[in-house]
Amino acid sequence: MWGRDGAFVAAALERAGYPELCRRFFDFCNRALTDDGFLFQHYNPDGSLASNWHPWVLNGEEVLPIQEDSTALLLWALWIHYDCSKDIEFIRPLYENFVLKCADFLVQYRDPETRLPLPSYDLWEERHGVHAYTVAAVISGLRGAANFARVFRDSSRAELYDSVADDMRGGIVEHLYDAERQRYARSGYRTADGYELDETVDISLLGLVTLGALPANDARVVATVESIRDELVVNSPIGGVARYRKDQYQRESDVPEDIPGNPWFISTLWLAEYEIERAETLPQLREAIPYLEWCAKNALPSGVLAEQVHPVNGSPLSVSPLTWSHSAFVWAVLSYVERFQALGGGE
């Protein structure tokens, strides 16, 4: 059980009208939570800690082997559960033992100078640093915690969590914007003078918008998305969107060099989510449809969505089904319908 994947699945189920299916998941996370308020990488079905390939010592220094976005996204998903179900009796015992513990950890686990989170492992489980996606997830988690604090008339904590989220949002703009390339950087690595930025264009940068950290039509965000289109849309008969250029994970030897990586369902759907989020007219909204159709076209006959597909022959690669892929499709379709109705498409 990965906290991140589970959070996305739970959030999609909530919006689709199945809140009862999510309660056991949140109870599981509540039991797994450490006393310090975070989750480790992943867990076995019985709640025990699963094998973890993140080291505790990196470059000779002790580090906390976590992906902070996993903890943060649980708060984001739990707020969606409450917002959809209004099940206050389920939330009440979780407020002190889960919400506040997670949120207080997110508040404490940050750089006092830059206002950004301390380093952790990225969502791809490959790099240790300060990642734009992780910061966006932490902001979304703190917003969820602030919402819960207001529900329970805990005004001082609501103000604290919102204030820290605002600071982190400012930290993204100040420290993770690459002025030379005029786009946001996927990661930063702390130096004496600030952050050394990773210039790789990564689909996870869309989390800045899809998780609500920055507005979709901000000029710097728009420039970042254009770089994503230029570099990560797969130019092959299969199409789709890759994670980042020169992605070697599950890449087979017959894939041409000019293809950035295998197309992932979540990558393709995140670009759809961005189109939905930025749409101010129905024609703009329809720009998301090809990404949804790509997912339907590349699903197995059973409806199963893999993690990724071969960019030349379209065969499924890695895990099939991947519940993260399924949840992203459900979430994108529901978001499309909601925006379609908001723009007057249902009249």
Side-chain angles (χ1 to χ4, degrees):
M1 191 289 295
W2 273 261
R4 174 191 314 105
D5 299 43
F8 282 119
V9 170
L13 284 169
E14 294 293 347
R15 288 186 69 189
Y18 298 94
E20 68 280 358
L21 298 180
C22 304
R23 296 187 189 109
R24 290 179 65 186
F25 166 71
F26 289 120
D27 283 337
F28 180 103
C29 294
N30 184 39
R31 294 192 303 273
L33 194 71
T34 66
D35 291 339
D36 291 324
F38 62 83
L39 289 185
F40 283 104
Q41 184 185 22
H42 57 299
Y43 295 81
N44 296 311
D46 65 357
S48 60
L49 192 62
S51 59
N52 186 343
W53 54 84
H54 294 327
W56 287 80
V57 177
L58 193 64
N59 299 322
E61 295 185 5
E62 186 175 339
V63 299
L64 193 59
I66 64 169
Q67 302 159 62
E68 191 181 6
D69 65 299
S70 291
T71 299
L73 287 169
L74 293 176
L75 293 177
W76 169 79
L78 187 61
W79 173 253
I80 291 171
H81 170 84
Y82 175 75
D83 197 38
C84 292
S85 68
K86 296 298 186 290
D87 187 355
I88 191 66
E89 295 308 317
F90 176 73
I91 295 297
R92 192 182 304 279
L94 293 179
Y95 180 63
E96 293 280 348
N97 296 327
F98 186 79
V99 173
L100 297 186
K101 286 174 67 174
C102 288
D104 288 344
F105 171 76
L106 300 180
V107 168
Q108 295 161 10
Y109 196 72
R110 57 183 174 138
D111 187 317
E113 294 181 11
T114 66
R115 301 167 293 176
L116 293 175
L118 291 172
S120 68
Y121 288 93
D122 70 342
L123 78 163
W124 307 134
E125 307 182 317
E126 296 172 343
R127 284 165 291 278
H128 188 264
V130 178
H131 315 291
Y133 183 87
T134 300
V135 183
V138 171
I139 290 171
S140 73
L142 288 170
R143 299 294 190 203
N147 288 338
F148 279 123
R150 280 185 282 272
V151 168
F152 289 99
R153 301 293 191 267
D154 197 346
S155 59
S156 61
R157 281 197 172 95
E159 291 174 6
L160 171 64
Y161 299 151
D162 273 335
S163 175
V164 173
D166 290 341
D167 284 347
M168 286 188 179
R169 179 175 177 172
I172 293 173
V173 176
E174 181 177 355
H175 298 291
L176 295 183
Y177 180 71
D178 189 334
E180 179 181 349
R181 296 173 180 82
Q182 297 189 321
R183 55 176 168 79
Y184 284 102
R186 73 168 173 180
S187 304
Y189 301 93
R190 192 73 160 94
T191 68
D193 300 322
Y195 290 92
E196 177 185 343
L197 299 180
D198 184 340
E199 65 184 56
T200 305
V201 175
D202 193 303
I203 194 66
S204 66
L205 284 161
L206 292 180
L208 294 172
V209 173
T210 59
L211 293 172
L214 297 174
N217 291 316
D218 179 276
R220 288 166 292 197
V221 170
V222 171
T224 302
V225 176
E226 287 308 308
S227 295
I228 288 172
R229 294 188 206 280
D230 291 342
E231 295 202 18
L232 301 185
V233 172
V234 176
N235 185 20
S236 77
I238 299 301
V241 183
R243 295 193 301 173
Y244 53 85
R245 187 165 290 281
K246 297 183 180 179
D247 183 3
Q248 297 301 311
Y249 179 59
Q250 297 287 333
R251 187 185 185 107
E252 299 191 351
S253 59
D254 59 345
V255 175
E257 282 294 320
D258 62 340
I259 290 179
N262 298 333
W264 283 50
F265 284 93
I266 60 170
S267 297
T268 306
L269 288 162
W270 283 347
L271 202 46
E273 284 184 45
Y274 172 78
E275 297 292 358
I276 293 166
E277 182 66 27
R278 78 175 185 93
E280 297 178 353
T281 65
L282 288 174
Q284 287 180 336
L285 180 62
R286 293 189 187 102
E287 293 181 21
I289 292 178
Y291 302 111
L292 301 176
E293 292 178 335
W294 182 89
C295 293
K297 179 181 177 181
N298 287 280
L300 295 175
S302 62
V304 160
L305 304 180
E307 179 182 74
Q308 49 188 299
V309 300
H310 193 290
V312 177
N313 61 40
S315 60
L317 297 173
S318 192
V319 178
S320 297
L322 182 70
T323 55
W324 191 1
S325 298
H326 285 255
S327 68
F329 185 77
V330 171
W331 183 274
V333 170
L334 293 174
S335 297
Y336 185 95
V337 171
E338 187 176 283
R339 182 54 61 94
F340 181 80
Q341 294 171 341
L343 292 174
E347 296 179 358

